[in-house]
Amino acid sequence: MTSQVSSPAEQADGAGGAVVGGQRTPESPGGKEVRRLDRVIIRFAGDSGDGMQLTGDRFTSETASFGNDLSTLPNFPAEIRAPAGTLPGVSSFQLHFADHDILTPGDAPNVLVAMNPAALKANIADLPRGAEIIINTDEFTKRPMAKVGYATSPLEDGSLDAYSLHPVPLTTLTVEALKDFGLSRKEAERSKNMFALGLLSWMYHRPTAGTENFLRQKFAKKPEIAEANVVAFRAGWNFGETTEDFAVSYEVAPATRAFPTGTYRNISGNLALSYGLVAASQQADLPLYLGSYPITPASDILHELSKHKNFGVRTFQAEDEIAGIGAALGAAFGGALGVTTTSGPGVALKSEAIGLAVSLELPLLIVDIQRGGPSTGLPTKTEQADLLQAMYGRNGEAPVPIVAPRTPADCFDAALDAARIALTYRTPVFLLSDGYLANGSEPWRIPEVADLPDLKVKFATGANHTLADGTEVFWPYKRDPETLARPWAIPGTPGLEHRIGGIEKQDGTGNISYDPANHDLMVRTRQAKIDGIRVPDLDIDDPDGATTLVLGWGSTYGPITAAVRRLRNAGLPIAQAHLRHVNPFPGNLGAVLERYRKVVVPEMNLGQLATLIRAKYLVDAQSYNQVNGMPFKAEQLATVLKEAIDD
């Protein structure tokens, strides 16, 4: 699990000068003014074929290597390939980077790179007055503008007067830069995103060597294409250096005080979760088995885990969702750390098998990367609306623990925590991430292996019960008195033969039982096992003795925390708490809720956690909900929370 790393605490740039290509330059490179900023929000936007995600990824990687704190928000079209130049086909990538600790991709971009009219129209409403817009003027012809409803050119009708506009013929300049490569015009045009990346790299003094190396590796089998992209990238950088339209460049210093000393890398939520699963299997000394069916936005976990056979990882791309979880559950029966990955529609299909895992009492991780629903819904957009499905979406009484990471990097620790619960208590566990965390990224401090938890388990090796006549036998449902977990016996172990299946088991023996009293006992015992899972008490951030508490879970952590910071900076007292464990709740949650006059629960659903809180603790929790496929904005939450405080 090695990759490019940076150590922000060790790469702090001294006073004076900017960093370009990893080298110190004069205060005003090329004789142009350099302005120091503490943070910047950039959004790259274009057609889904314009390479905006790759452009954003590369800018992010260089920003991470430079040592800034950062947070990203990729935004994909839902259609596999929407018609070119249309609003449904717009793809964007937003990056917020700073010289201090930040928590969100930012509310509003300072800079928009618009590759065509559709990109401009889809994003212009998010820009504040004075924001910079870099526009590819080559695409602003009559037909592309008509596709998105522009009767006149926004470059000429005064509608962009409130912004700092930089008209750049990106396509023409890219084709001209590559004229000696013998490429067709269409082939040369594909590199215009690298020209734009070079221009932005000059504008914000990003290192360049890493991107050039990346391009040569990515197109190693087509060296002429690799060099064409490198030349386009350099041409964009040189254009910024020489053109009179860009009189100012900007410097954002490394976030030297945002991180503890250590080795860092940029990581997305899905990648961190994948690494967490591999680490869990290593710490448990168990093979990792993934049974999965591809589904947006969870597929990247399958892709990543398939690369790690050297860690004993086996991946199975099943023919459907049911087969995927069935294979994972079978692997768990055989002594592996079984995992299945999916999104909300897949969870619905897996529900019977999840109930079977509850009945069999085997460790199994169900990773749900939530997206907008119902049904197919919004495949590429984010939502938190699977909470009640994870909690109750099975027939019968089938309780399952739920763990929810709060940031992309936290997906690593959440995966380890979910594995701990599954292995210790012999139960399936839901790991609820979402599209925002899965595709977003942030700096992650690579942990020391010695600091990872010990997850080793003891398999059953012999008889565990003595009958009245003195015979020693193996009872597959004889429980650990502390955890209520049943023994885990590997198939084929002599003397430990036992039945499994979906029909109710007799307590202790595991034999099929239709006895009403036994069923009542088993149902209550399985519930007691989940209720007794040890989870840490809820931490409360309340420096001012507030009367209002904002309670969140999952990916709302960043926007909530950013909003709380704004309010406290304005002198308003507010308390904050964030749940990782949603089932069972932390033992002190009830006492915490009783301390506050008001409890506000922001969620990207219609109030699912708030419903659980009200039902269990009889607290009049106030919901604030959003289901538009995008994460909350900090300013939006700050306004809502201020109203709650003032009320």
Side-chain angles (χ1 to χ4, degrees):
M1 294 187 290
T2 59
S3 72
Q4 179 182 356
V5 298
S6 65
S7 180
E10 297 173 3
Q11 294 186 7
D13 186 30
V19 176
V20 180
Q23 302 296 320
R24 185 180 299 280
T25 64
E27 186 67 23
S28 300
K32 296 187 177 184
E33 179 187 355
V34 178
R35 294 179 187 170
R36 291 184 179 271
L37 303 175
D38 64 349
R39 66 186 183 95
V40 175
I41 303 169
I42 298 174
R43 184 181 296 176
F44 299 93
D47 194 71
S48 58
D50 285 338
M52 294 296 93
Q53 302 305 320
L54 175 62
T55 305
D57 282 341
R58 287 314 312 160
F59 197 94
T60 299
S61 294
E62 298 299 352
T63 297
S65 70
F66 184 67
N68 296 118
D69 194 12
L70 61 89
S71 180
T72 68
L73 178 62
N75 191 9
F76 310 94
E79 289 82 0
I80 293 175
R81 187 64 178 94
T86 63
L87 292 175
V90 173
S91 176
S92 68
F93 188 105
Q94 184 162 307
L95 166 67
H96 182 190
F97 62 102
D99 66 1
H100 57 277
D101 176 36
I102 58 173
L103 298 154
T104 74
D107 289 356
N110 308 115
V111 182
L112 172 66
V113 179
M115 302 298 281
N116 60 16
L120 177 65
K121 188 158 193 176
N123 292 281
I124 189 66
D126 292 338
L127 268 62
R129 294 177 63 87
E132 296 193 74
I133 306 176
I134 300 172
I135 285 185
N136 180 17
T137 56
D138 289 324
E139 292 295 320
F140 280 74
T141 56
K142 187 174 182 179
R143 185 178 179 186
M145 289 191 295
K147 278 186 179 181
V148 295
Y150 280 127
T152 59
S153 172
L155 308 183
E156 301 171 355
D157 63 7
S159 60
L160 301 179
D161 287 350
Y163 309 99
S164 177
L165 185 64
H166 301 280
V168 180
L170 289 173
T171 306
T172 299
L173 290 171
T174 303
V175 171
E176 176 64 21
L178 303 183
K179 63 183 179 181
D180 296 332
F181 280 81
L183 302 173
S184 68
R185 180 177 177 86
K186 186 175 182 180
E187 290 172 327
E189 286 179 0
R190 290 175 180 166
S191 296
K192 64 181 180 290
N193 63 324
M194 288 298 104
F195 188 101
L197 178 59
L199 173 57
L200 269 292
S201 296
W202 170 84
M203 196 170 173
Y204 290 96
H205 300 176
R206 298 298 89 185
T208 60
T211 294
E212 293 188 10
N213 292 335
F214 167 83
L215 291 170
R216 292 190 173 101
Q217 291 174 10
K218 180 176 177 63
F219 300 105
K221 295 182 180 180
K222 297 180 178 180
E224 71 283 359
I225 299 298
E227 289 308 308
N229 277 285
V230 170
V231 167
F233 176 67
R234 290 177 176 175
W237 198 94
N238 291 330
F239 178 78
E241 176 80 0
T242 57
T243 184
E244 294 182 1
D245 190 40
F246 291 89
V248 178
S249 64
Y250 303 93
E251 181 181 87
V252 181
T256 56
R257 291 179 287 183
F259 309 106
T261 300
T263 301
Y264 287 78
R265 60 156 295 160
N266 182 50
I267 201 164
S268 68
N270 272 351
L271 184 56
L273 199 152
S274 300
Y275 286 179
L277 293 174
V278 175
S281 74
Q282 293 295 299
Q283 293 302 105
D285 197 21
L286 297 175
L288 178 66
Y289 184 94
L290 174 68
S292 182
Y293 181 75
I295 184 171
T296 302
S299 299
D300 284 343
I301 301 172
L302 171 61
H303 301 160
E304 181 60 34
L305 289 180
S306 68
K307 303 174 184 177
H308 297 293
K309 296 181 178 66
N310 56 315
F311 285 108
V313 177
R314 295 182 182 180
T315 54
F316 169 51
Q317 181 173 319
E319 64 269 30
D320 56 39
E321 295 281 5
I322 299 171
I325 190 172
L329 186 54
F333 178 59
L337 178 57
V339 182
T340 189
T341 53
T342 189
S343 190
V347 173
L349 294 169
K350 296 177 189 291
S351 62
E352 184 180 4
I354 296 171
L356 176 60
V358 172
S359 177
L360 300 183
E361 301 189 45
L362 287 169
L364 177 70
L365 299 184
I366 306 127
V367 179
D368 178 5
I369 312 297
Q370 300 167 95
R371 71 190 205 188
S375 187
T376 308
L378 305 174
T380 61
K381 310 302 180 183
T382 195
E383 206 163 270
Q384 289 182 296
D386 294 348
L387 177 57
L388 293 184
Q389 179 178 224
M391 193 82 176
Y392 300 120
R394 293 162 294 283
N395 64 296
E397 295 288 347
V400 176
I402 301 171
V403 177
R406 64 185 189 179
T407 68
D410 188 49
C411 288
F412 177 87
D413 295 317
L416 284 165
D417 198 13
R420 171 190 68 85
I421 294 171
L423 295 170
T424 302
Y425 296 89
R426 309 284 197 270
T427 178
V429 177
F430 263 104
L431 186 55
L432 284 187
S433 179
D434 61 42
Y436 170 38
L437 295 183
N439 297 315
S441 61
E442 65 176 349
W444 172 57
R445 186 186 184 191
I446 301 175
E448 298 293 335
V449 173
D451 296 332
L452 298 179
D454 183 358
L455 301 179
K456 289 184 176 61
V457 298
K458 291 183 179 180
F459 292 109
T461 57
N464 62 359
H465 184 75
T466 303
L467 299 176
D469 62 2
T471 304
E472 293 187 344
V473 296
F474 174 66
W475 275 13
Y477 280 82
K478 185 168 184 176
R479 302 179 182 278
D480 180 298
E482 181 177 349
T483 64
L484 298 182
R486 77 175 186 88
W488 194 1
I490 301 296
T493 305
L496 303 191
E497 296 84 0
H498 60 284
R499 292 188 179 129
I500 64 169
I503 299 178
E504 185 62 280
K505 319 294 185 299
Q506 184 182 50
D507 180 40
T509 68
N511 296 332
I512 291 175
S513 172
Y514 293 94
D515 178 61
N518 178 78
H519 176 60
D520 184 272
L521 173 64
M522 294 296 278
V523 167
R524 294 179 186 277
T525 301
R526 288 189 290 260
Q527 183 65 58
K529 181 174 69 170
I530 304 307
D531 292 341
I533 291 173
R534 291 185 178 179
V535 301
D537 278 350
L538 185 65
D539 289 330
I540 310 301
D541 179 13
D542 185 1
D544 302 312
T547 60
T548 299
L549 170 71
V550 54
L551 179 68
W553 71 279
S555 67
T556 57
Y557 173 78
I560 288 174
T561 307
V564 166
R565 286 182 180 178
R566 292 189 183 201
L567 294 176
R568 289 179 180 169
N569 289 338
L572 296 174
I574 188 167
Q576 179 186 1
H578 206 80
L579 291 167
R580 167 180 280 180
H581 300 95
V582 188
N583 192 33
F585 285 128
N588 67 333
L589 178 56
V592 168
L593 296 174
E594 289 178 357
R595 287 164 44 187
Y596 295 94
R597 183 174 61 87
K598 283 190 179 178
V599 177
V600 182
V601 185
E603 297 180 79
M604 292 187 293
N605 57 47
L606 295 183
Q608 297 187 14
L609 175 63
T611 296
L612 295 174
I613 293 293
R614 291 190 189 108
K616 185 173 180 65
Y617 299 106
L618 303 180
V619 170
D620 186 21
Q622 299 180 14
S623 284
Y624 181 71
N625 309 115
Q626 174 176 295
V627 282
N628 62 7
M630 298 294 287
F632 284 113
K633 293 182 178 180
E635 182 179 5
Q636 166 192 3
L637 285 181
T639 300
V640 171
L641 296 176
K642 183 180 183 302
E643 291 174 355
I645 294 170
D646 293 341
D647 186 9

